[in-house]
Amino acid sequence: MSADTHARIARSFEAQGLMHTLGARLAWVGEGEVHIAMPNSPAVSQQQGFVHAGAITSIVDSACGYAALSLAAPGFEVVSAEFKINLMRPAIGTHFLAVGKVQNAGRLLTVCSGEVRAFLSEDARDFKVVALMQATMVLVQAR
């Protein structure tokens, strides 16, 4: 992956107000794969104390979108056309990692899959997958 592509994704991520609101950060950028980390906090909780499904959905949607953008030609951006998310268990953990991966990149549509991992400690192996996403991203001309 080129340094320009990485910088383009980092600039775009920094421009997202929602990611700042959630406390999310760009954790890793590769060709066709992007990771977004988010800490647990009262700001992202729902009434039972779990992390809200909206926060979980937002980070994995962005991870999938940036994975698609990592393969897009300069002068293009991506927007979500559709996604399906399976919330498999309550989002309980100290922090979360959304992993977005490109499954197929076409001329205008990119199909991605994503998962959100809930970590119970700082051990990178100590996690449970709390959500799975399948998403379609559309390439659009950059503004």
Side-chain angles (χ1 to χ4, degrees):
M1 165 183 294
S2 75
D4 288 343
T5 300
H6 189 281
R8 176 171 59 149
I9 290 170
R11 278 191 310 274
S12 177
F13 185 86
E14 288 304 314
Q16 280 202 35
L18 181 59
M19 292 298 110
H20 286 284
T21 298
L22 297 175
R25 67 177 175 78
L26 200 54
W28 187 78
V29 176
E31 189 170 320
E33 183 172 338
V34 170
H35 299 185
I36 295 175
M38 181 183 73
N40 192 348
S41 78
V44 297
S45 70
Q46 48 88 291
Q47 71 280 3
Q48 295 172 311
F50 311 137
V51 171
H52 196 285
I56 294 297
T57 301
S58 294
I59 62 172
V60 72
D61 173 46
S62 287
C64 287
Y66 286 121
L69 187 62
S70 75
L71 299 179
F76 285 90
E77 294 183 2
V78 298
V79 294
S80 300
E82 63 84 29
F83 58 74
K84 181 196 185 318
I85 188 159
N86 291 99
L87 302 165
M88 302 186 313
R89 58 179 46 93
I92 300 170
T94 59
H95 60 286
F96 300 85
L97 184 70
V99 177
K101 295 181 182 181
V102 170
Q103 298 302 319
N104 186 66
R107 281 190 17 232
L108 294 175
L109 300 177
T110 302
V111 176
C112 300
S113 62
E115 70 179 39
V116 179
R117 301 170 183 171
F119 291 84
L120 303 174
S121 71
E122 294 303 316
D123 183 346
R125 298 166 297 173
D126 188 20
F127 69 85
K128 291 188 177 188
V129 175
V130 296
L132 293 173
M133 176 177 275
Q134 179 157 334
T136 303
M137 302 296 161
V138 180
L139 291 161
V140 296
Q141 290 288 324
R143 301 200 279 154

Short mmCIF file of all heavy atoms in Angstrom, two decimals, residues 2 13 15-16 23 32 34 38 40 54 61 69 74 76 80 87 91 101 107 109 114-115 122 142:
data_model
loop_
_atom_site.label_atom_id
_atom_site.label_comp_id
_atom_site.label_asym_id
_atom_site.label_seq_id
_atom_site.Cartn_x
_atom_site.Cartn_y
_atom_site.Cartn_z
N SER A 2 0.48 2.22 -0.76
CA SER A 2 1.28 3.43 -0.86
C SER A 2 1.09 4.32 0.37
O SER A 2 0.06 4.27 1.04
CB SER A 2 0.91 4.22 -2.12
OG SER A 2 -0.32 4.88 -1.94
N PHE A 13 -10.36 9.72 8.10
CA PHE A 13 -10.78 9.26 9.43
C PHE A 13 -10.79 10.43 10.42
O PHE A 13 -11.74 10.59 11.19
CB PHE A 13 -9.85 8.15 9.93
CG PHE A 13 -10.31 7.55 11.24
CD1 PHE A 13 -11.23 6.52 11.24
CD2 PHE A 13 -9.84 8.03 12.45
CE1 PHE A 13 -11.67 5.97 12.43
CE2 PHE A 13 -10.28 7.49 13.65
CZ PHE A 13 -11.20 6.45 13.64
N ALA A 15 -11.38 13.42 9.86
CA ALA A 15 -12.47 14.35 9.54
C ALA A 15 -13.83 13.84 10.02
O ALA A 15 -14.81 14.57 9.93
CB ALA A 15 -12.51 14.61 8.03
N GLN A 16 -13.89 12.62 10.52
CA GLN A 16 -15.16 12.04 10.97
C GLN A 16 -15.45 12.43 12.41
O GLN A 16 -14.82 11.93 13.34
CB GLN A 16 -15.12 10.52 10.88
CG GLN A 16 -15.36 9.98 9.52
CD GLN A 16 -15.84 8.53 9.58
OE1 GLN A 16 -16.57 8.13 10.49
NE2 GLN A 16 -15.42 7.75 8.61
N GLY A 23 -14.66 8.03 20.56
CA GLY A 23 -13.33 7.77 21.11
C GLY A 23 -12.57 6.75 20.28
O GLY A 23 -11.59 6.16 20.74
N GLY A 32 -6.72 -3.50 1.55
CA GLY A 32 -7.95 -4.27 1.63
C GLY A 32 -8.38 -4.63 3.03
O GLY A 32 -9.34 -5.40 3.20
N VAL A 34 -8.72 -2.86 7.19
CA VAL A 34 -8.55 -1.74 8.12
C VAL A 34 -9.10 -2.13 9.48
O VAL A 34 -10.15 -2.80 9.57
CB VAL A 34 -9.25 -0.46 7.59
CG1 VAL A 34 -9.30 0.63 8.65
CG2 VAL A 34 -8.54 0.04 6.34
N MET A 38 -11.82 1.04 19.63
CA MET A 38 -12.69 1.91 20.41
C MET A 38 -12.66 1.45 21.87
O MET A 38 -12.88 0.27 22.15
CB MET A 38 -14.13 1.87 19.90
CG MET A 38 -15.09 2.78 20.66
SD MET A 38 -16.80 2.64 20.08
CE MET A 38 -17.25 1.03 20.75
N ASN A 40 -14.13 1.14 25.74
CA ASN A 40 -15.42 1.15 26.39
C ASN A 40 -15.49 2.39 27.26
O ASN A 40 -14.49 2.78 27.88
CB ASN A 40 -15.61 -0.10 27.26
CG ASN A 40 -17.03 -0.28 27.73
OD1 ASN A 40 -17.87 0.63 27.60
ND2 ASN A 40 -17.32 -1.44 28.26
N GLY A 54 -25.41 0.85 18.16
CA GLY A 54 -25.09 1.92 17.21
C GLY A 54 -23.60 2.21 17.16
O GLY A 54 -23.04 2.48 16.09
N ASP A 61 -18.78 -0.43 10.30
CA ASP A 61 -19.12 0.18 9.01
C ASP A 61 -17.95 1.02 8.51
O ASP A 61 -17.57 0.93 7.34
CB ASP A 61 -20.38 1.05 9.16
CG ASP A 61 -20.70 1.86 7.92
OD1 ASP A 61 -20.65 1.30 6.80
OD2 ASP A 61 -20.99 3.05 8.06
N LEU A 69 -11.84 1.79 0.63
CA LEU A 69 -11.10 2.97 0.17
C LEU A 69 -9.63 2.66 -0.07
O LEU A 69 -8.99 3.23 -0.95
CB LEU A 69 -11.25 4.12 1.16
CG LEU A 69 -10.66 5.47 0.73
CD1 LEU A 69 -11.34 5.98 -0.53
CD2 LEU A 69 -10.78 6.48 1.87
N PRO A 74 -7.13 7.01 -6.67
CA PRO A 74 -7.16 8.41 -6.21
C PRO A 74 -8.30 9.16 -6.90
O PRO A 74 -8.65 8.86 -8.04
CB PRO A 74 -5.79 8.95 -6.66
CG PRO A 74 -4.92 7.74 -6.76
CD PRO A 74 -5.83 6.63 -7.22
N PHE A 76 -11.36 9.12 -5.69
CA PHE A 76 -12.61 8.49 -5.31
C PHE A 76 -12.71 8.40 -3.79
O PHE A 76 -11.70 8.37 -3.08
CB PHE A 76 -12.73 7.07 -5.89
CG PHE A 76 -13.05 7.06 -7.34
CD1 PHE A 76 -12.03 7.06 -8.29
CD2 PHE A 76 -14.37 7.08 -7.77
CE1 PHE A 76 -12.32 7.05 -9.64
CE2 PHE A 76 -14.66 7.08 -9.13
CZ PHE A 76 -13.64 7.06 -10.06
N SER A 80 -21.40 3.92 2.13
CA SER A 80 -22.11 2.65 2.34
C SER A 80 -23.38 2.63 1.51
O SER A 80 -24.17 3.57 1.55
CB SER A 80 -22.49 2.49 3.82
OG SER A 80 -21.34 2.51 4.62
N LEU A 87 -25.61 -9.00 15.52
CA LEU A 87 -25.12 -8.72 16.87
C LEU A 87 -25.27 -10.04 17.64
O LEU A 87 -26.37 -10.45 17.97
CB LEU A 87 -25.92 -7.58 17.50
CG LEU A 87 -25.88 -6.29 16.67
CD1 LEU A 87 -26.96 -5.33 17.11
CD2 LEU A 87 -24.51 -5.65 16.77
N ALA A 91 -22.17 -6.58 23.89
CA ALA A 91 -20.83 -5.98 23.70
C ALA A 91 -20.28 -5.59 25.06
O ALA A 91 -20.44 -4.47 25.53
CB ALA A 91 -20.93 -4.79 22.77
N LYS A 101 -12.66 -6.06 6.01
CA LYS A 101 -11.87 -6.69 4.94
C LYS A 101 -12.65 -6.67 3.64
O LYS A 101 -13.84 -6.96 3.62
CB LYS A 101 -11.56 -8.16 5.28
CG LYS A 101 -10.68 -8.35 6.48
CD LYS A 101 -10.42 -9.82 6.71
CE LYS A 101 -9.56 -10.04 7.94
NZ LYS A 101 -9.29 -11.46 8.17
N ARG A 107 -15.64 -2.33 -10.16
CA ARG A 107 -15.42 -0.96 -10.67
C ARG A 107 -16.12 0.08 -9.81
O ARG A 107 -15.57 1.14 -9.57
CB ARG A 107 -15.92 -0.86 -12.11
CG ARG A 107 -14.96 -1.43 -13.12
CD ARG A 107 -15.34 -1.12 -14.56
NE ARG A 107 -16.29 -0.04 -14.67
CZ ARG A 107 -17.43 -0.09 -15.34
NH1 ARG A 107 -17.77 -1.19 -15.97
NH2 ARG A 107 -18.24 0.94 -15.40
N LEU A 109 -18.67 -1.07 -7.09
CA LEU A 109 -19.11 -1.67 -5.83
C LEU A 109 -18.01 -2.51 -5.22
O LEU A 109 -17.34 -3.26 -5.93
CB LEU A 109 -20.35 -2.55 -6.05
CG LEU A 109 -21.60 -1.88 -6.61
CD1 LEU A 109 -22.69 -2.91 -6.84
CD2 LEU A 109 -22.08 -0.78 -5.68
N GLY A 114 -16.93 -7.67 7.91
CA GLY A 114 -16.33 -7.08 9.09
C GLY A 114 -16.73 -7.83 10.34
O GLY A 114 -17.74 -8.54 10.35
N GLU A 115 -15.91 -7.68 11.36
CA GLU A 115 -16.24 -8.23 12.66
C GLU A 115 -15.80 -7.26 13.73
O GLU A 115 -14.89 -6.46 13.52
CB GLU A 115 -15.62 -9.61 12.88
CG GLU A 115 -14.12 -9.62 13.04
CD GLU A 115 -13.57 -11.03 13.29
OE1 GLU A 115 -14.06 -12.00 12.66
OE2 GLU A 115 -12.66 -11.16 14.12
N GLU A 122 -5.95 -6.84 28.22
CA GLU A 122 -4.98 -6.33 27.24
C GLU A 122 -4.37 -7.45 26.41
O GLU A 122 -3.65 -7.18 25.45
CB GLU A 122 -3.88 -5.52 27.95
CG GLU A 122 -4.39 -4.24 28.60
CD GLU A 122 -5.09 -3.31 27.61
OE1 GLU A 122 -4.58 -3.11 26.49
OE2 GLU A 122 -6.18 -2.82 27.95
N ALA A 142 -14.59 11.98 -5.46
CA ALA A 142 -14.26 12.80 -4.29
C ALA A 142 -14.72 14.23 -4.54
O ALA A 142 -14.69 14.71 -5.68
CB ALA A 142 -12.75 12.76 -4.04
#
